[in-house]
Amino acid sequence: MRKSSAVIKVPAMEIRQSPGRKLYTFAVDGKRVYDFVDISRIRRNAGAELEGYQRPEVVAHIQEIKEYIESDAPMIPNGIVVAFDSRVKFKRVKSAALDMSSDAVMGVLEIPVGEHGKRGKVGFVVDGQQRLAAIRGAKVQKFPMLVSAFITDDLRQQTEQFILVNSTKPLPKGLIYELIPHTDARLPTALHKRRLAAYLLERLNHEEQSPLYKMIRTPTAPDGVIKDNSMLKMLGNSLSDGVLYEFRERNELTVESVANMSALLRRFWGAVKETFPEAWGLKPRESRLMHGAGIVSVGNLMDHIASQRTRRSVIPSQKFFRKHLSLVAPECAWTKGDWRFGPDDVRAWNQVQNTRQDVEMLTDFLQRAYEAAA
């Protein structure tokens, strides 16, 4: 790439997708993109008319990307999308050495840089403003990025492309949770914290010796009765400050730590299955044990029961868990009867909902019942 007379000239490919529609693809240092583009912020003018189309920057998201760019071997394969106006010119390059189809030709894109009177810069960012902001602030000398661009003076067309690019349905969370255990790549903080929980969920759901074999509903186990997010929340709670935390090694997937945690989980949920057979394996609307509130509250009980061990490093047996679960069994109304949360708070078995208040109430109730009987 070279700069001459306030014009950047970059090798580019012109792709004709449909009549009158051309795309241009090229690479440029991400720190230079702001030399020729602006962010079209969404706003209202003095006449209350809508202008622009970009949402505000998301500081936390930018920081995540920035830290990734500053890591040892970053790679961002998804490119930036830019809308240029007609001041940007494409000049074809003829070469017998290039075997290109009639739909794609090579050439040079000439991009004026800087502000140009009232018209400002020649381009607007359609997609990728958070990535560009992160690259701009990252402590790296340069970071080349792939850019896809189109040329138009029509603001409506720019807005149309922005809506089309950003309105596509994101990956389902369940699919993401199934994928993250199988990558060592740096992930956003929220996903990184769930990586170990997602790996344990996978072991519970796909190992035949697990009492929860194919019972957790995921994209690859669509017939499961337990929502993956409920199980992830239970596992995350225990990994943060419960019994699973004792076996965790800096949140890493070591062979020994995962084996110990998996063994403990199999034994505990095996004991749950034996203690409450009438409520096991039913759909959540038929059993509050398989419901989000039940999964999280019983998982909390696992942590309390495990604290009764004589030695912290010992993995409790299934028999041990079953003995202690039997202490609270008479108070449970998973499929029928009433929950007696207090003298003036009696609820039918199916009135417990998967809300924060009800989950906390059921968690406290089971813990109190256990402590009273222990």
Side-chain angles (χ1 to χ4, degrees), residues 10 24 49 86 97 114 166 178 225 239 244 256 259 325 330 337 348 355:
V10 294
Y24 302 90
E49 295 174 331
S86 57
N166 290 280
E178 283 211 87
V225 295
L239 284 166
L244 295 182
E256 183 179 3
L325 283 169
T355 63

Side-chain angles (χ1 to χ4, degrees), residues 225-227 229-231 234 269 279 281-299 334 339 349-355 358-359 362:
V225 295
I226 302 170
K227 289 185 177 180
N229 203 46
S230 299
M231 188 61 64
M234 181 278 295
W269 288 101
L282 301 178
K283 295 181 179 179
R285 66 174 179 269
E286 300 169 343
S287 168
R288 282 309 187 254
L289 179 61
M290 302 288 98
H291 191 268
I295 294 296
V296 174
S297 60
V298 170
W334 298 121
W339 293 100
W349 70 271
N350 58 355
Q351 287 184 329
V352 175
Q353 303 301 320
N354 193 22
T355 63
D358 281 14
V359 171
L362 183 56

Side-chain angles (χ1 to χ4, degrees), residues 105-119:
V105 296
M106 294 298 298
V108 174
L109 207 59
E110 298 183 351
I111 310 170
V113 299
E115 301 282 348
H116 297 269
K118 292 182 179 181
R119 296 185 67 183

Side-chain angles (χ1 to χ4, degrees), residues 56-243:
E57 292 182 349
V58 182
V59 176
H61 183 41
I62 292 172
Q63 182 62 25
E64 293 276 2
I65 303 173
K66 177 176 172 291
E67 292 174 0
Y68 172 70
I69 292 170
E70 294 172 349
S71 65
D72 292 336
M75 182 176 71
I76 302 179
N78 48 325
I80 306 299
V81 180
V82 170
F84 284 133
D85 64 34
S86 57
R87 288 174 289 174
V88 173
K89 306 296 181 183
F90 177 78
K91 294 185 178 180
R92 297 185 183 184
V93 175
K94 294 182 179 180
S95 174
L98 295 177
D99 183 17
M100 302 294 290
S101 72
S102 59
D103 295 323
V105 296
M106 294 298 298
V108 174
L109 207 59
E110 298 183 351
I111 310 170
V113 299
E115 301 282 348
H116 297 269
K118 292 182 179 181
R119 296 185 67 183
K121 295 179 181 178
V122 297
F124 289 99
V125 177
V126 173
D127 183 58
Q129 65 155 327
Q130 316 294 349
R131 277 164 280 158
L132 284 175
I135 294 169
R136 178 178 55 186
K139 296 178 181 178
V140 294
Q141 186 175 359
K142 66 177 183 177
F143 194 83
M145 285 293 295
L146 180 69
V147 179
S148 293
F150 57 95
I151 298 176
T152 179
D153 289 317
D154 185 357
L155 180 60
R156 288 180 178 273
Q157 187 176 342
Q158 294 180 18
T159 305
E160 172 193 355
Q161 291 302 315
F162 173 78
I163 294 171
L164 291 173
V165 168
N166 290 280
S167 65
T168 55
K169 187 177 181 180
L171 286 174
K173 288 289 182 66
L175 178 57
I176 294 175
Y177 298 148
E178 283 211 87
L179 291 173
I180 58 177
H182 300 281
T183 175
D184 295 323
R186 179 184 176 87
L187 297 172
T189 301
L191 286 180
H192 182 72
K193 289 180 178 178
R194 285 207 163 187
R195 194 202 299 263
L196 181 51
Y199 188 78
L200 292 172
L201 182 150
E202 181 180 66
R203 295 280 294 265
L204 286 171
N205 207 27
H206 294 284
E207 292 182 347
E208 292 187 13
Q209 66 269 35
S210 168
L212 291 165
Y213 179 60
K214 292 188 177 180
M215 287 182 60
I216 306 167
R217 187 161 69 248
T218 67
T220 57
D223 296 327
V225 295
I226 302 170
K227 289 185 177 180
D228 57 354
N229 203 46
S230 299
M231 188 61 64
L232 285 170
K233 184 175 182 180
M234 181 278 295
L235 292 168
N237 290 344
S238 188
L239 284 166
S240 296
D241 52 15
V243 63

Side-chain angles (χ1 to χ4, degrees), residues 263-279:
L264 186 147
L265 289 164
R266 286 196 303 269
R267 294 175 187 181
F268 175 75
W269 288 101
V272 174
K273 179 180 179 180
E274 292 177 347
T275 306
F276 306 106
E278 75 289 346

